[in-house]
Amino acid sequence: DVQLQASGGGLVQTGGSLRLSCAASGYFFDDSNIAWFRQAPGKGREAVSYINSNDGSTYYLDSVKGRFTISYDSAKNMVYLQMNNLKPEDTAVYYCAAVVSGDYDDPLAEYSYDYWGQGTLVTVSS
């Protein structure tokens, strides 16, 4: 049984930092595309960042470029999202998701991912 668990959310002030973690059980992130999505109140879910564990390629939403960094630790089978200089508009529930590398159509689309974590809430106060 595959389970992803996202953690690390919390309440921070504008300009603060958080590091989100995504842990997997029953699944290895090697040969995968692992993404972070977020859903703000009243809005749809959007892809924030992803990393491909094969070639290390990454993607960032324009609004988080230069502030967020995604990384993959193969030894720990963990994926992280370091979020710096947080802004109130970053407030959302953040989800990690994974799919076998290449086994997807659009890496930015929710439907491409087979496995999802439960979400962790990030609240940035102004």
Side-chain angles (χ1 to χ4, degrees):
D1 187 25
V2 174
Q3 290 188 342
L4 302 187
Q5 182 169 2
S7 61
L11 172 64
V12 295
Q13 293 183 333
T14 296
S17 298
L18 286 172
R19 188 179 78 157
L20 305 185
S21 300
C22 181
S25 60
Y27 185 85
F28 291 97
F29 284 137
D30 58 324
D31 194 28
S32 295
N33 215 63
I34 309 100
W36 287 97
F37 285 77
R38 69 184 180 188
Q39 186 166 18
K43 296 187 177 180
R45 198 173 295 188
E46 65 179 351
V48 175
S49 181
Y50 67 71
I51 186 167
N52 185 281
S53 61
N54 282 340
D55 59 18
S57 58
T58 58
Y59 160 85
Y60 295 97
L61 185 67
D62 282 347
S63 61
V64 308
K65 284 180 180 177
R67 300 188 297 121
F68 290 11
T69 303
I70 192 168
S71 60
Y72 162 59
D73 186 330
S74 60
K76 296 182 178 180
N77 198 38
M78 295 282 290
V79 173
Y80 304 98
L81 185 68
Q82 178 66 43
M83 307 186 297
N84 298 327
N85 190 22
L86 284 161
K87 303 176 180 181
E89 52 263 42
D90 295 319
T91 295
V93 177
Y94 285 71
Y95 302 86
C96 61
V99 63
V100 172
S101 184
D103 191 22
Y104 52 83
D105 178 31
D106 179 355
L108 301 180
E110 291 180 66
Y111 65 76
S112 293
Y113 292 84
D114 294 322
Y115 307 108
W116 288 83
Q118 82 288 3
T120 184
L121 176 62
V122 172
T123 304
V124 185
S125 63
S126 57

